[in-house]
Amino acid sequence: MRPADEALIVIDIQNDFCPGGALAVAEGDEIINRVNGLMDDFQTVILTQDWHPADHSSFASNHPGHAPFETLTMSYGPQTLWPDHCVQGTTGAAFHSDLRTDPADLIIRKGFRVAIDSYSAFFENDRSTTTGLNGYLSARGITAVTFVGLATDFCVAYSALDAARLGLRARVLLGACRGIDLGGSLARMSEEMRAAGVALEE
Ligand code: VGL
Ligand code: ZN
């Protein structure tokens, strides 16, 4: 069992990010056994759930003339457009049925504001609107976080970078993550994490 000041944060292991889902990450479901096992090692387990309204501004379908995986400039900066995914209350937004959810102390939902996307578990894509997770961790005296889940180069990387920026000790277990790899994003975000002091382990 790891010490009480450490938490496991499981990012977005939802049906839409697994094979057959609307924004499927290759082999996304293959990490689930390992993630389930890791939950027994941590005294605090937190799950995140991408949770979008149907008219969410990150969906290409809400921008006529634009297609998924294009980039648009929003008020807060560049935003990749995605296929509709993780719509609140749908099967796609549900956790994969093999993922253990009972060990979770907290489930944090993100991306529920129409006008802004939220990759990170800590801040929305303006990097300043908070999800409240930092306050939760600090109130519980948690200073170190280990990330696993989907997708390595988007929600996992943004979360780990924010954790490092907040002064938490941050670690990503790459073997318990899978990536989207859009235009080299996997290599780029891995390098950004390494440069920010995030520990990248298998
Ligand atoms: C994610 C793209 C859009 C993720 C979420 O979980 O990495 N990626 N929404
Ligand atoms: Zn999303």
Side-chain angles (χ1 to χ4, degrees):
M1 186 63 80
R2 300 188 69 98
D5 65 346
E6 291 196 20
L8 178 70
I9 304 185
V10 179
I11 304 289
D12 297 1
I13 303 188
Q14 296 166 255
N15 290 321
D16 270 342
F17 296 123
C18 291
L23 181 43
V25 180
E27 305 177 345
D29 54 342
E30 293 184 10
I31 64 174
I32 296 174
N33 276 346
R34 177 151 178 225
V35 170
N36 283 341
L38 283 165
M39 291 183 190
D40 291 328
D41 297 342
F42 286 82
Q43 300 185 43
T44 299
V45 174
I46 295 164
L47 310 182
T48 70
Q49 192 171 24
D50 212 39
W51 195 250
H52 300 306
D55 58 350
H56 195 250
S57 56
S58 78
F59 295 170
S61 64
N62 292 315
H63 300 275
H66 292 277
F69 310 111
E70 285 180 20
T71 303
L72 274 194
T73 303
M74 308 288 195
S75 58
Y76 52 83
Q79 170 68 50
T80 304
L81 297 181
W82 302 106
D84 293 21
H85 65 278
C86 297
V87 174
Q88 295 170 3
T90 63
T91 303
F95 291 115
H96 189 288
S97 58
D98 292 340
L99 183 74
R100 293 170 68 200
T101 58
D102 288 351
D105 289 357
L106 176 74
I107 296 174
I108 195 125
R109 288 175 168 166
K110 59 188 180 61
F112 50 75
R113 291 187 178 86
V114 176
I116 185 165
D117 204 4
S118 187
Y119 296 150
S120 165
F122 293 94
F123 295 102
E124 305 200 7
N125 285 6
D126 60 2
R127 309 311 282 267
S128 66
T129 303
T130 181
T131 64
L133 179 58
N134 186 39
Y136 177 87
L137 295 177
S138 83
R140 290 197 49 186
I142 291 166
T143 58
V145 283
T146 294
F147 295 95
V148 295
L150 307 172
T152 319
D153 42 346
F154 287 92
C155 292
V156 173
Y158 275 65
S159 299
L161 288 169
D162 279 344
R165 183 162 65 99
L166 289 165
L168 297 161
R169 271 183 298 135
R171 178 168 81 129
V172 172
L173 299 181
L174 292 170
C177 298
R178 289 293 184 277
I180 295 175
D181 205 11
L182 194 60
S185 56
L186 197 49
R188 189 172 63 250
M189 296 311 288
S190 299
E191 174 53 26
E192 269 195 48
M193 288 192 279
R194 198 201 53 73
V198 176
L200 300 178
E201 298 175 15
E202 258 318 293

